[in-house]
């Protein structure tokens, strides 16, 4: 096997695989990259048993032959090479990697022992990859990395008539994003850590879904991915979305982020980074208090709703997370001091955060 | 006390102090910042008992009064403020910090209990701050952070007739930088960690030295600093600088850094990241070998000296460190396979690295 490939495309492919393939494992086979050669190019693949990933890299190949190599070493070597073009040559159990004045000989692994990775060839439904990635990344923060209940470590994907919805929650807050989608897809829960990898590999353009047994496969023009799904019932989050909005304020999201960041410096870390929101007479006053002093910040807002004033308290971290995906104007919808509040982008956009208030 | 100060100058001053003042300490007094107010401005100072630092910030001050505040909280609050101008007002035990719509009240500390920091008013000798900072930062890598012998954790400063020299060593390598200086200064050893802070605060312009008892004070137009010095005899490093150069190569420093970085990927971490240097016929061949394969890189060099060929081995990390301060062409001077080698910038510049070779 002899292949000529540009350093840039090979590095990009290896960069995706490197994030999935573990650098250490009790099963050393899993640290390997499998390379399948055809005359059109090289198919790189790897797995961490949660995610299988495969990526095609166009190359000029003579006498195609498959092999496995240590993934991270190979990626590091390729990244450090000089020049634009890389030459790969397999002879016996050694892979030569050449470019400019460099000549590396890398030991290959046991191809026969490498676990078989299979990717589906048909598609059940198709979504836009860019929309899906943006939706997942908007709600990702609300999924827990540690929660005891597995569903809180996942992101739910729901298919509706003319749209799809992703939802994440850690039990204290819910993040939701709707986006345009058609087709009759299934509802499912993707582990948040797998969603992180999906966000990275998806680009604008078709993302084809294939449903398997406890598994979702996603195929784009560039990559193929199998994801293990989470089992279980996602909580009935619609129940906590307040319907009866009594007071509503609109203000620039950036100004609010900066002000919350400021007062949070003095907020008590042992009391949920508590920040009070006091709305009245077209002003939002933020206040925090801790061992070292008190902070107060006043912002002008456009105020609406039936109640003339309200006072609520939130965890400052959660407020900053919820505002993260909002650019431009933010709308805060309050239904009472002790009921959940909604933070969303003014004028829609499909994103919404629902947060519990701290006790006043 | 009431002061108006620009956010930018106050933040810059606090940024310097924040690096010296510990964020936690068994003695909470040490986490405080002392602010001395005069009609011309505010003098910020702090200490970690190794380094005392003081920095003047111009401000409009009414009814000057001194106070202490939690250093890191105060710095964080100021950094996060909106607007250009900050208003400080001391009333009782509270410092108000105001800007735009923000109003912070910070508890001040016990001024009387804060340890007295004294800075000298006369100067013994004067150096250029920029030259000194560049010299310290060129040799810093060769000082050890952990060595058992204290002198290996320091950087020696030597005064000569028309120049000064800084030297650092960890016993395996020596880094030296000479720079123009006049005046009759003392030789001394600055702890490398204190040199790091000096590098940060010094700029081009006069750095005035005052010698104290086991202490050096450095004064510039902006800052005053007291440094505890290291006691002890610095090793006789001149003994290891090879005099009898048998082979010499010149090549672009960047090409060599990149090639060493490349082959080092396969070098054995458990064998000192060993990289072999083989010089002959106008070529430098680098080779490394480890559990996963072999790497080789060939570079064109300008070769000189009485020996036609030589083979040596180095720790790749040490080679990369030694090349760090060299831009443009690098000169490698070899006196034999088992004698130390010199790496320096071609055409002088005052910097030189001396490295032991690994056994062939």
């Amino acid at each position: 096997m002899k292949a000529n490939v540009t350093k840039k495309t090979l590095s990009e492919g290896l960069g995706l695989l490197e994030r999935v393939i573990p650098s250490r494992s009790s099963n050393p086979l899993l640290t390997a990259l499998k390379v399948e050669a055809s005359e059109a190019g090289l198919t790189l693949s790897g797995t961490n048993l949660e995610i299988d990933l495969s990526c095609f890299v166009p190359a000029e190949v003579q006498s195609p032959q498959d092999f496995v190599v240590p993934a991270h070493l190979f990626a590091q070597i390729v990244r450090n090479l000089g020049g634009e073009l890389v030459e790969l040559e397999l002879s016996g159990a050694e892979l030569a990697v050449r470019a400019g004045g460099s000549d590396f000989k890398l030991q290959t692994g046991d191809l026969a022992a490498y676990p078989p990775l299979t990717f589906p060839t048909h598609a059940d439904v198709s979504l836009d990859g860019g929309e899906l990635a943006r939706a997942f990344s908007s709600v990702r923060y609300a999924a827990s990395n540690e929660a005891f209940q597995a569903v809180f470590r996942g992101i739910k994907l729901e298919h509706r008539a003319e749209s799809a919805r992703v939802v994440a929650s850690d039990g204290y807050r819910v993040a939701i994003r709707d986006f345009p989608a058609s087709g009759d897809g299934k509802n499912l829960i993707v582990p948040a850590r797998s969603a992180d990898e999906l966000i990275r590999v998806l680009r604008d353009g078709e993302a084809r879904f294939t449903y398997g047994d406890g598994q979702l496969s996603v195929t784009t023009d560039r990559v193929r991915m199998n994801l293990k799904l989470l089992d279980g019932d996602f909580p009935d989050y619609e129940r906590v979305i307040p319907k009866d909005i009594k007071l509503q304020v609109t203000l620039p999201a950036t100004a609010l982020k900066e002000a919350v960041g400021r007062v949070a410096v003095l907020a008590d870390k042992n009391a949920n980074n508590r920040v009070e929101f006091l709305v009245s007479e077209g002003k939002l006053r933020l206040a925090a208090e801790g061992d070292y002093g008190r902070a107060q910040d006043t912002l002008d807002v456009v105020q609406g709703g039936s109640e003339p004033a309200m006072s609520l308290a939130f965890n400052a971290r959660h407020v900053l997370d919820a505002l993260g995906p909002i650019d431009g104007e933010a709308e805060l919808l309050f239904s009472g001091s002790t009921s959940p509040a909604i933070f969303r982008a003014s004028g829609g956009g499909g994103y919404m955060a629902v947060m519990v208030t701290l006790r006043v």
Side-chain angles (χ1 to χ4, degrees), chain A:
Chain A
M1 201 277 324
K2 211 165 166 176
N4 284 306
V5 51
T6 66
K7 183 186 152 186
K8 186 161 175 289
T9 46
L10 183 56
S11 289
E12 279 174 6
L14 290 171
L16 295 179
L17 267 306
E18 253 189 315
R19 295 198 37 95
V20 168
I21 299 175
S23 56
R24 281 147 203 265
S25 168
S26 56
N27 178 358
L29 273 175
L30 292 184
T31 64
L33 171 81
K34 182 173 179 181
V35 181
E36 288 162 291
S38 71
E39 295 199 347
L42 306 170
T43 301
L44 316 176
S45 44
T47 182
N48 61 15
L49 301 182
E50 282 292 309
I51 303 174
D52 306 333
L53 179 64
S54 161
C55 173
F56 180 74
V57 174
E60 270 174 38
V61 181
Q62 291 161 35
S63 332
Q65 207 182 327
D66 302 348
F67 57 93
V68 298
V69 277
H72 292 269
L73 265 186
F74 182 50
Q76 224 182 324
I77 289 169
V78 170
R79 225 183 354 255
N80 286 319
L81 288 174
E84 307 275 295
L85 211 68
V86 180
E87 183 187 304
L88 305 176
E89 186 174 8
L90 193 66
S91 39
E94 258 184 9
L95 176 73
V97 184
R98 299 192 193 98
S102 308
D103 189 351
F104 287 76
K105 301 282 194 307
L106 203 53
Q107 300 292 332
T108 62
D110 184 354
L111 179 66
Y114 194 81
L117 305 178
T118 57
F119 296 91
T121 49
H122 76 285
D124 291 320
V125 67
S126 167
L127 290 166
D128 181 77
E131 292 278 6
L132 184 62
R134 281 188 287 279
F136 271 133
S137 65
S138 297
V139 303
R140 170 61 177 95
Y141 71 85
S144 169
N145 288 326
E146 288 98 26
F148 176 69
Q149 274 186 274
V151 290
F152 288 139
R153 299 194 302 265
I155 298 177
K156 189 182 184 196
L157 174 63
E158 294 176 4
H159 287 268
R160 309 190 152 208
E162 288 301 313
S163 66
R165 163 175 284 190
V166 294
V167 191
S169 176
D170 61 3
Y172 300 97
R173 48 190 175 165
V174 183
I176 299 171
R177 182 154 206 151
D178 295 323
F179 59 98
S182 58
D184 191 23
K186 290 189 190 174
N187 293 347
L188 45 83
I189 307 173
V190 178
R193 291 186 193 280
S194 302
D196 291 339
E197 299 314 317
L198 255 181
I199 292 168
R200 246 167 223 107
V201 302
L202 289 177
R203 296 184 182 169
D204 287 332
E206 227 184 0
R208 294 179 288 281
F209 277 25
T210 312
Y211 302 110
D213 184 21
Q215 165 176 306
L216 170 68
S217 299
V218 182
T219 309
T220 73
D221 290 346
R222 198 166 61 120
V223 299
R224 292 178 297 169
M225 203 173 199
N226 300 323
L227 308 171
K228 282 223 171 26
L229 295 175
L230 280 178
D231 235 2
D233 290 323
F234 201 81
D236 177 14
Y237 65 90
E238 303 216 40
R239 203 175 35 83
V240 304
I241 303 175
K243 305 285 179 295
D244 180 20
I245 305 305
K246 298 199 173 103
L247 195 156
Q248 165 170 352
V249 304
T250 307
L251 77 169
T254 308
L256 181 55
K257 287 177 203 173
E258 287 175 1
V260 172
R262 266 198 295 274
V263 300
V265 171
L266 285 185
D268 190 342
K269 272 91 199 142
N270 299 320
N272 296 312
N273 291 295
R274 180 195 186 84
V275 171
E276 315 231 340
F277 279 52
L278 299 100
V279 184
S280 75
E281 296 173 350
K283 303 270 182 204
L284 167 59
R285 197 155 62 85
L286 304 174
E289 187 167 347
D291 290 345
Y292 300 98
R294 292 163 290 140
Q296 193 175 295
D297 227 285
T298 308
L299 298 163
D300 289 322
V301 299
V302 175
Q303 186 179 337
S306 59
E307 299 260 329
M310 202 179 285
S311 130
L312 313 89
F314 297 101
N315 180 324
R317 296 276 117 239
H318 288 194
V319 171
L320 291 173
D321 285 344
L323 291 170
I326 305 179
D327 302 319
E329 298 283 299
E331 245 172 49
L332 320 184
L333 310 178
F334 303 125
S335 57
S337 292
T338 56
S339 327
I342 297 176
F343 285 29
R344 69 182 183 198
S346 172
Y351 168 77
M352 176 198 288
V354 182
M355 268 189 304
V356 299
T357 52
L358 301 177
R359 212 170 300 184
V360 176

